[in-house]
Amino acid sequence: MPTTGNTASPGTGADTGGGTGTGAGQSWTALRHLRHLLDLLDQGAPAEQFAPPPASARGPRLDEPDAAVVAEATRVALRIRRTLGQHRRREAELAALFDTAGDLARLRDPDAVLKAIVRRAKLLLGTDVTYLSLNDDEAGDTYMRVTDGSVSAAFQQVRLGMGEGLGGLVASTARPYSTGDYRDDRRFRHTTTIDGAVTEEGLRAILGVPLRLGTRVIGVLYAADRTARTFTPDEVALLSSLADHAAIAIDSARLLDETRSALVDLNEASRTIEAHSDAMRRAEDAHDRLTDLVLRGADITDVATAIGAVLQGGTLIHDADGTELARSGTDSGQPSARAVAASRTGGRAVSADGTWVCAVLAGPELLGSIALTGRPDLGDADRRLFERAGVVTALLLLQRRSVAETEDRVRGELLGDLLTGAADPASLPARARRVGVNLDHPHAVFVLHSATAPRQRLLAAAARVAHSRKGLAGLHHDDVVLVLPAEHTGPGPGVGADAAGLAGELGQGLGGPVTVGAAGPVTGPGRFPDAHAEALRCRTALRALGREGSGAALGDLGFLGVLLGDQTDLGGYVRRTLGPVLDYDARRGTELVHTLRTYFDEGTSRSRAAEALHVHVNTVVQRLDRIGRLLGHDWQRPERALELQLALRVHRVQRPDDSAALPPA
């Protein structure tokens, strides 16, 4: 073993061994330097500490071969240091990638995944800005999705067409690209929008790598600095590895989000199906309940009550004319004509001012309507149930109409036989009893006319009155005729009052004047034909006298009524009284009869008659002179004037279309 002095002071001359001692000291010095290099490697010292010692420190005993060995050992040590540094850095990068993969795997929200990717890229590469763009397959471009470190709003919203700029080139080629200074790099297709955004952000060096799922590129991951520099292959590889993890994480988050959405949709669909199933069961139960009511012969009021109970609201049912047929749980009211028309056109229930209205249809024919009150928030299921109730109501109304038509046909045949007297009188009371009419009770005959309402509407209104009062209604010789039990059979107002009340009732229901001529009361089938003829003459007289919309019997018309009721030869009476004037008008086409009537109507004043006729008074004087020559000089005597006025009234009443028309001249 060497002495302590030798160890402490190699090469100082203490060793007297000559050349042998000097060579040993030099070797010992080289070994110390090699040991020093190993210590530096172990400590991970900076590269500058590995430099060979200066010549003065080597001592005279370190010859050139040993110095060369020491220099070579230093270079090897530096290479080993670089390799170890690369391994440590790669190990750190791998550890960071594993941590990143673990962090991304724990994230479930797609936005959180994207933000985590960009943030981790910024930490791993240490750049000023990192960002991520996603491809838009429909638009055919790529758009900025997430940024970290960006300060420019324009940069954060930029879109790149495929092949435009660095990012567009990465997205279209699926290859990484980098640039040390983007603004001066002519490899990329520069656009005003992209260059403006990059300039506003102040970026110089940019690295972009594709986000790939298999062969499909879904976006680009970027790292960028605001100073010019070159990205190393290790940085490109690191960002590419992170991009591969990121693409998988993005796809996993997307699939998880789609799965979550699918589960939500599935649960919603399941609830919808369940609700629909419940609604179907409820609708079927309600339909069965309503149909059972119809089959059991329930009336329209029972159906209205059932509809209100099922839908928890008030119900109104009207016919096609707007007449209320039934009501349950609500006040009376007219359905909205516009709502009924809209429901009829669309085939669905409609809402009008908080009330639901459904047209009751038989094919295109409107039978009536149903109104549901108290349920402004009617849901789809209840709305369909309400519409189904309309179908059931249509069945009931059709059934009722079929029964009514059969009854009306029977009643119409009975009415025709009563008014014509063609059937066996002995069989009529029994036939009448089968439809609820007692001919042993006094009855009145009413003949109706309306200038505004169609005949079928007038007949329908008359039929409702007949049903309610146990009478008969129908068409006879194109006239609507009612036979009703007489309400006034003793002294007093008589059937004229019944006719007046009937005219008011029907006029109000139809919204227009109804004229009613009455006759009776009569008892026994054989007297109905004469009563009908008298009622018809009374109706005609009322119209001729300008009393449209009123009701009366002949007895209510004074002397004219008595004259008409006596059934005298009215045509002969008129001809005997006015014959010469009538013939003159017929031959010459003049208006002497009209002038004479106007003269009497104006109180025998020639000037007022001229004004009413819109002629000169001299013309009236000339016409009256002509009338005097035709009728005789005494035609203005009170007795003769009264006969003329009566004849004029009868002539006005007996129109050519009446059964008692004047015979031709």
Side-chain angles (χ1 to χ4, degrees):
M1 298 249 340
T3 65
T4 304
N6 291 337
T7 303
S9 302
T12 61
D15 187 357
T16 59
T20 305
T22 301
Q26 290 174 339
S27 299
W28 179 248
T29 301
L31 290 174
R32 285 185 64 191
H33 190 73
L34 293 176
R35 171 61 185 269
H36 179 64
L37 292 175
L38 291 175
D39 289 339
L40 291 176
L41 289 173
D42 180 56
Q43 295 168 8
E48 57 269 16
Q49 296 184 18
F50 284 78
S56 60
R58 297 175 185 170
R61 298 177 184 85
L62 191 63
D63 57 14
E64 287 299 324
D66 288 339
V69 170
V70 170
E72 179 63 25
T74 300
R75 287 192 293 273
V76 171
L78 287 173
R79 287 200 301 271
I80 293 173
R81 180 188 176 280
R82 285 195 298 272
T83 301
L84 290 175
Q86 291 174 350
H87 288 171
R88 281 194 295 269
R89 186 172 66 253
R90 189 60 178 167
E91 184 177 329
E93 292 173 352
L94 290 175
L97 286 175
F98 285 130
D99 291 342
T100 300
D103 293 342
L104 294 178
R106 286 190 293 272
L107 295 175
R108 295 294 182 265
D109 179 48
D111 287 338
V113 170
L114 297 176
K115 291 177 181 178
I117 292 169
V118 173
R119 188 178 305 112
R120 188 58 61 94
K122 193 170 187 291
L123 292 174
L124 289 177
L125 272 74
T127 54
D128 296 328
V129 181
T130 52
Y131 48 101
L132 183 148
S133 66
L134 294 178
N135 289 1
D136 187 339
D137 295 332
E138 293 185 1
D141 61 8
T142 181
Y143 63 97
M144 198 69 70
R145 184 65 174 81
V146 180
T147 64
D148 192 339
S150 172
V151 295
S152 168
F155 182 79
Q156 295 167 15
Q157 299 173 4
V158 71
R159 297 184 75 99
L160 296 82
M162 290 298 179
E164 294 178 353
L166 184 147
L169 189 60
V170 174
S172 62
T173 63
R175 295 172 55 189
Y177 280 90
S178 66
T179 178
D181 192 342
Y182 177 78
R183 288 177 293 183
D184 297 331
D185 198 331
R186 298 295 97 189
R187 292 178 300 160
F188 309 108
R189 188 194 309 170
H190 290 261
T191 67
T192 302
T193 301
I194 299 173
D195 288 358
V198 171
T199 301
E200 185 173 321
E201 189 63 55
L203 299 182
R204 302 286 295 277
I206 303 174
L207 168 62
V209 297
L211 295 167
R212 286 178 293 196
L213 286 174
T215 59
R216 185 167 65 94
V217 177
I218 64 172
V220 179
L221 180 61
Y222 305 84
D225 277 326
R226 293 189 172 91
T227 57
R229 74 169 182 99
T230 301
F231 287 96
T232 66
D234 288 342
E235 289 176 317
V236 175
L238 178 59
L239 192 61
S240 296
S241 297
L242 181 59
D244 291 338
H245 286 292
I248 296 173
I250 291 172
D251 193 52
S252 298
R254 178 186 61 81
L255 292 175
L256 183 62
D257 188 60
E258 290 178 355
T259 302
R260 189 184 298 113
S261 299
L263 288 175
V264 171
D265 293 342
L266 183 61
N267 291 333
E268 183 65 26
S270 178
R271 287 192 294 269
T272 301
I273 292 172
E274 184 177 355
H276 181 70
S277 179
D278 291 341
M280 288 294 294
R281 286 195 297 270
R282 184 163 169 254
E284 290 174 0
D285 292 342
H287 184 76
D288 292 342
R289 178 180 176 184
L290 294 173
T291 304
D292 184 61
L293 286 174
V294 176
L295 295 178
R296 287 192 291 105
D299 60 19
I300 194 69
T301 302
D302 295 330
V303 172
T305 302
I307 294 173
V310 169
L311 295 174
Q312 300 177 347
T315 311
L316 279 164
I317 300 179
H318 294 81
D319 65 9
D321 296 325
T323 302
E324 183 179 306
L325 301 179
R327 171 166 46 96
S328 176
T330 187
D331 297 330
S332 295
Q334 284 292 322
S336 167
R338 180 176 297 179
V340 174
S343 177
R344 180 181 185 181
T345 302
R348 300 292 307 276
V350 298
S351 178
D353 299 327
T355 298
W356 284 90
V357 178
C358 182
V360 179
L361 303 172
E365 181 184 1
L366 179 66
L367 301 179
S369 65
I370 310 176
L372 181 68
T373 63
R375 285 294 309 275
D377 57 341
L378 199 65
D380 289 340
D382 284 346
R383 180 180 178 181
R384 288 191 293 270
L385 182 55
F386 182 45
E387 292 164 353
R388 182 170 291 193
V391 175
V392 175
T393 304
L395 292 175
L396 179 59
L397 293 181
L398 285 174
Q399 184 186 61
R400 287 186 54 185
R401 187 170 72 177
S402 178
V403 172
E405 287 175 350
T406 302
E407 291 183 354
D408 289 343
R409 185 169 59 254
V410 173
R411 290 171 177 270
E413 292 173 354
L414 175 61
L415 179 65
D417 290 343
L418 276 175
L419 300 183
T420 59
D424 180 10
S427 66
L428 294 178
R431 290 171 56 190
R433 283 192 295 271
R434 284 196 289 270
V435 295
V437 177
N438 183 7
L439 294 182
D440 294 332
H441 187 281
H443 281 70
V445 179
F446 303 91
V447 179
L448 317 178
H449 178 268
S450 174
T452 58
R455 184 178 300 167
Q456 288 302 321
R457 283 193 64 196
L458 179 61
L459 177 60
R464 286 193 290 270
V465 173
H467 282 295
S468 64
R469 301 185 189 178
K470 295 184 179 181
L472 300 172
L475 286 175
H476 186 68
H477 294 166
D478 293 332
D479 289 314
V480 179
V481 180
L482 261 173
V483 173
L484 299 176
E487 296 182 6
H488 301 88
T489 58
V495 296
D498 297 342
L502 189 60
E505 177 183 350
L506 293 174
Q508 183 177 5
L510 295 175
V514 176
T515 307
V516 181
V522 295
T523 304
R527 301 186 57 188
F528 279 93
D530 293 339
H532 169 255
E534 182 177 329
L536 179 60
R537 288 196 301 275
C538 181
R539 191 281 314 269
T540 304
L542 288 172
R543 294 186 60 204
L545 294 173
R547 293 176 57 180
E548 291 279 356
S550 65
L554 284 179
D556 302 317
L557 301 182
F559 182 81
L560 181 59
V562 174
L563 182 61
L564 293 174
D566 286 341
Q567 301 186 45
T568 56
D569 182 9
L570 299 178
Y573 173 78
V574 171
R575 177 149 296 282
R576 286 192 300 273
T577 308
L578 294 173
V581 180
L582 293 172
D583 293 340
Y584 189 92
D585 281 347
R587 289 193 305 269
R588 304 291 181 89
T590 55
E591 295 182 348
L592 296 182
V593 172
H594 181 50
T595 300
L596 182 60
R597 183 183 300 118
T598 303
Y599 175 69
F600 284 123
D601 289 343
E602 295 299 328
T604 67
S605 170
R606 296 179 181 182
S607 60
R608 288 199 299 270
E611 184 177 354
L613 292 171
H614 304 292
V615 297
H616 195 274
V617 66
N618 291 337
T619 302
V620 174
V621 172
Q622 293 172 4
R623 291 180 182 178
L624 293 179
D625 289 341
R626 174 63 63 184
I627 292 172
R629 287 194 296 271
L630 292 172
L631 297 179
H633 65 277
D634 62 344
W635 67 275
Q636 295 196 63
R637 287 192 304 117
E639 298 85 0
R640 185 78 186 278
L642 176 60
E643 291 181 359
L644 290 173
Q645 291 180 61
L646 288 175
L648 289 170
R649 290 289 183 100
V650 174
H651 181 262
R652 176 186 290 179
V653 169
Q654 290 185 322
R655 299 292 185 184
D657 58 346
D658 290 337
S659 59
L662 291 174

